[in-house]
Amino acid sequence: MPLPKPPTKLGSLLKAPAAGASTAQAAEVELEVSAPLEQPAQASRGAKATAAAGRGRQAERPRAGAPAGAEAPRVAAKTATRTTSARPARTQPGAQPRAAAPAADSRRGSRQTPALTMPPAAPSGSSAPAVAAPVARALPAAAPARAPQAAPVARRAGAQGAVEPGKLFVLDTNVLMHDPTSLFRFEEHDVYLPMVTLEELDGHKKGMSEVARNARQASRELDALVAGVEAGIEQGIRLDHSGHTEARGRLFFQTRAHEARLPEALPQGKADNQILGVLQALTQAFPERSVVLVSKDINMRVKARALGLNAEDYANDKTLDDADLLYTGLMALPEDFWDKQAKSLESWQQGGQPFYRLQGPLVSAMLVNQAVYWEAANATPLYARVKEIRASTAVLQVVRDYTHPKNSIWGVCARNREQNFALNLLLDPDVDFVTLSGQAGTGKTLLALAAGLQQVLEERRYNEIIITRVTVPVGEDIGYLPGTEEEKMSPWMGALDDNLEVLNQSGSGNHGGEWGRAATQELIRSKVKIKSMNFMRGRTFLNKYVIIDEAQNLTPKQMKTLITRAGPGTKIICMGNLAQIDTPYLTEGSSGLAYAVDRFKGWKHSGHINLARGERSRLADYATEIL
């Protein structure tokens, strides 16, 4: 049976509201036709409700034209339902189109990144600050103007299909000079570089210092990111463009000036205040997004927070937040250790040293070369080192007792269990890297030198001892020093001279008198070389015993540079006190010493011991406790 022919006025009814209809009714019909694509069922129910309301209103109208008027709402409802569930809605002539692509993508489950632009600059005389180029990749684009009735539905649809915006990190110059690869350490978040940061970076790139090298490397990283990007720099540059796949955000540059309203007490020409102005402008421009300043300068962060802005320290280089959580290299066995291991414990001797093989849940907490001990009243203590871990089985090697005078090293005996463990690591040829930490007076330098002299002069295991340290003064710098490299380094090596004097007297005793001591001192001096850290890059040490003193003042990058100088047959010892850091922008958690301890723990050719007891003198020990 053929379908009835639609009324002649149907086209006009679909294009515009019926005569006499109010503006609110027209907006309601338009809203139903252009409903979001994410909820077709709700759109269909809304269309039916609109059709029912239309039938009620049409019933109140005059009978003239009733057939056409009654048919129009039903056809419009069917059209709206079919449009929202099958294909994009058809907009009315003159109506503003809506963006349906983000909703469709969110329905498919893909992560949508809308096209974004920064708000335009404020006109002259306006109080709103002018802001820079596009930066907010995750901010929603401005929606087209709609009738007031459409706002609630649009908000619901945006809440269901929106993507959580990532953070926007504004980098201070000291972050790039501290870590040149910091651009790629923010994962999926975006990075913004003010123009002042680039200017300061350019001003610090000259010279041979570590800061100058980092500035040059940061400039090379920026050049690699910008290379190949001919246009669209204002839309942001993907941080994985240069091969850093871990960075999934974008890099934005400041491309125009800002008109921030900072307090009059802050000088406008200062670089830090200009960065704060950029931060304030970005925060006001993108209230939906978290804009955060990242700076190593404490005062800079304090000023930002005083202005009500977000600021954080650069935490990616921190090994740990609390220095008390640093790996100590020691583990105390429980009191019932022998009772629990009585049935499964195996023991044997190899090379004159006892070995034990144990099993159980205690093994999961152990690391290779970790020192373990068991002490109890009226019982023989156990001092051992973890030599091997396989699944739930661990092999313990009883350490040699260097507290006994017959086992003294160059006249030096261990005075506590930590020093005994340290000497076992220092004298083990299978351990290539040893770190010693502890407060002043615990014997770090003395033990390292004694073990070095024993292995260089007595056992001939290494050719010579090389000692270096960071030249960071405690107080005012005394300026340039005359002489050769070793003469320039001699004021920094006062601790070396003091310990060598002790070892010279202990090692030679009274044999030979003054002449014997002088000859021994000359022999020791010929085997001990003092080198500056500034000339370490590119060198390779073969069969050397390298001591890095005051390692707490090294950055993680400097520590990597020094450790990678080791060639075949070389042993490196790093010593330091994390409570005596003198390098700016370094903390206990970001120090190179803490970095090395955390990264090397558990490696079978490295070991760490934290010396906790002071053995210098009773005066030094008491001063350490009360001062």
Side-chain angles (χ1 to χ4, degrees):
M1 178 178 178
L3 296 175
K5 186 177 180 181
T8 57
K9 296 184 179 181
L10 177 60
S12 61
L13 288 174
L14 290 177
K15 292 182 179 179
S22 63
T23 305
Q25 294 172 354
E28 184 176 358
V29 174
E30 178 187 355
L31 175 60
E32 294 300 332
V33 174
S34 60
L37 300 182
E38 299 172 0
Q39 298 180 350
Q42 295 181 5
S44 178
R45 289 195 297 270
K48 292 179 181 179
T50 307
R55 285 194 297 271
R57 288 191 294 270
Q58 291 291 341
E60 298 176 359
R61 294 180 181 174
R63 300 291 298 177
E71 185 70 13
R74 288 196 294 272
V75 176
K78 293 179 181 179
T79 304
T81 305
R82 186 170 59 253
T83 303
T84 54
S85 61
R87 59 181 181 271
R90 297 173 182 173
T91 57
Q92 301 177 10
Q96 298 191 18
R98 60 186 179 85
D105 286 344
S106 62
R107 183 179 59 187
R108 290 193 300 267
S110 61
R111 187 176 187 272
Q112 178 68 18
T113 304
L116 308 167
T117 55
M118 288 276 291
S124 178
S126 174
S127 60
V131 289
V135 271
R137 177 168 57 92
L139 289 179
R146 291 188 178 181
Q149 290 82 355
V153 180
R155 282 196 295 269
R156 288 196 298 270
Q160 294 175 2
V163 178
E164 184 69 20
K167 294 183 179 180
L168 179 64
F169 290 102
V170 181
L171 297 192
D172 195 1
T173 314
N174 49 48
V175 176
L176 292 173
M177 292 189 297
H178 178 75
D179 183 7
T181 61
S182 58
L183 292 168
F184 313 103
R185 307 297 186 188
F186 295 95
E187 298 180 348
E188 74 275 10
H189 304 290
D190 296 335
V191 177
Y192 186 92
L193 289 183
M195 195 57 62
V196 183
T197 297
L198 299 178
E199 290 290 337
E200 286 190 315
L201 196 66
D202 183 70
H204 288 86
K205 68 181 182 181
K206 297 180 180 179
M208 297 301 296
S209 63
E210 187 70 19
V211 172
R213 282 191 291 267
N214 290 344
R216 289 194 294 269
Q217 182 178 346
S219 300
R220 288 191 293 267
E221 296 287 356
L222 291 174
D223 181 65
L225 287 171
V226 178
V229 181
E230 299 178 356
I233 193 173
E234 295 185 351
Q235 302 297 330
I237 303 173
R238 292 179 54 181
L239 287 169
D240 58 357
H241 174 66
S242 59
H244 296 270
T245 57
E246 69 277 7
R248 302 184 298 275
R250 287 181 177 268
L251 172 64
F252 297 93
F253 293 95
Q254 179 184 356
T255 56
R256 63 195 227 188
H258 299 273
E259 294 181 4
R261 298 299 179 90
L262 295 176
E264 296 181 358
L266 296 177
Q268 299 297 324
K270 191 174 180 180
D272 289 354
N273 297 335
Q274 294 182 30
I275 296 176
L276 291 176
V278 172
L279 179 67
Q280 185 185 67
L282 294 176
T283 303
Q284 294 174 356
F286 304 110
E288 301 90 349
R289 196 170 190 184
S290 178
V291 183
V292 183
L293 171 67
V294 181
S295 176
K296 299 292 294 182
D297 190 349
I298 298 177
N299 293 331
M300 181 78 163
R301 300 197 299 268
V302 171
K303 288 195 295 184
R305 294 190 182 104
L307 296 174
L309 305 174
N310 297 327
E312 296 177 1
D313 188 11
Y314 180 65
N316 189 271
D317 62 331
K318 290 186 177 180
T319 305
L320 66 167
D321 296 330
D322 190 356
D324 295 335
L325 302 177
L326 186 65
Y327 173 63
T328 61
L330 299 169
M331 180 180 180
L333 298 176
E335 296 181 0
D336 56 351
F337 169 73
W338 293 112
D339 297 334
K340 289 186 176 181
Q341 298 291 334
K343 296 181 179 180
S344 60
L345 189 67
E346 302 179 22
S347 63
W348 71 93
Q349 284 208 0
Q350 181 178 344
Q353 290 183 301
F355 286 83
Y356 295 97
R357 180 179 284 110
L358 57 93
Q359 299 178 358
L362 190 63
V363 177
S364 60
M366 294 182 177
L367 294 173
V368 178
N369 282 332
Q370 186 178 23
V372 297
Y373 62 92
W374 180 86
E375 295 176 340
N378 300 324
T380 303
L382 171 66
Y383 300 109
R385 187 166 52 129
V386 181
K387 290 293 292 183
E388 181 182 345
I389 295 179
R390 290 185 179 180
S392 60
T393 303
V395 176
L396 303 182
Q397 177 188 2
V398 177
V399 298
R400 191 172 184 179
D401 185 16
Y402 287 105
T403 60
H404 199 279
K406 68 177 183 180
N407 295 328
S408 63
I409 301 301
W410 207 257
V412 175
C413 295
R415 296 188 178 183
N416 51 60
R417 63 167 180 262
E418 288 82 9
Q419 289 188 355
N420 189 29
F421 287 135
L423 283 175
N424 275 272
L425 290 174
L426 292 170
L427 294 169
D428 189 351
D430 196 42
V431 178
D432 301 330
F433 183 71
V434 179
T435 51
L436 300 177
S437 62
Q439 60 186 3
T442 52
K444 301 183 296 293
T445 306
L446 182 65
L447 294 177
L449 274 176
L453 292 175
Q454 176 72 19
Q455 297 174 91
V456 171
L457 296 178
E458 299 292 339
E459 301 176 5
R460 305 295 178 90
R461 187 177 298 161
Y462 307 104
N463 295 335
E464 61 183 3
I465 300 175
I466 295 179
I467 303 178
T468 185
R469 60 167 291 178
V470 185
T471 55
V472 179
V474 177
E476 293 291 335
D477 199 348
I478 61 175
Y480 291 100
L481 299 174
T484 62
E485 178 184 359
E486 292 195 6
E487 291 175 347
K488 291 176 182 293
M489 290 294 297
S490 59
W492 304 99
M493 293 300 174
L496 170 65
D497 296 334
D498 299 338
N499 287 279
L500 285 179
E501 182 179 355
V502 174
L503 293 174
N504 187 18
Q505 295 177 356
S506 303
S508 61
N510 295 324
H511 300 291
E514 291 293 334
W515 183 89
R517 283 194 294 270
T520 304
Q521 185 175 3
E522 186 66 24
L523 177 62
I524 292 176
R525 284 292 182 182
S526 65
K527 293 295 182 179
V528 178
K529 304 295 183 182
I530 301 174
K531 300 297 180 182
S532 174
M533 193 175 297
N534 299 333
F535 309 104
M536 288 293 183
R537 192 177 298 273
R539 296 196 61 180
T540 301
F541 299 126
L542 302 176
N543 298 321
K544 308 295 183 185
Y545 187 89
V546 182
I547 298 177
I548 304 175
D549 199 8
E550 302 296 335
Q552 77 275 1
N553 288 321
L554 290 172
T555 64
K557 185 178 179 182
Q558 290 174 329
M559 180 65 74
K560 178 182 178 180
T561 302
L562 291 177
I563 297 176
T564 52
R565 301 305 99 206
T570 294
K571 190 186 188 87
I572 295 183
I573 293 89
C574 292
M575 307 176 300
N577 181 10
L578 292 175
Q580 296 180 347
I581 296 178
D582 302 315
T583 303
Y585 305 132
L586 272 188
T587 61
E588 295 179 353
S590 62
S591 170
L593 179 61
Y595 178 78
V597 170
D598 185 74
R599 291 298 188 272
F600 277 92
K601 65 180 180 182
W603 187 44
K604 64 179 180 179
H605 299 294
S606 69
H608 170 70
I609 292 295
N610 180 39
L611 303 175
R613 304 181 191 177
E615 300 291 350
R616 179 169 290 170
S617 66
R618 59 188 179 188
L619 174 60
D621 296 343
Y622 185 69
T624 303
E625 294 177 1
I626 66 169
L627 296 181

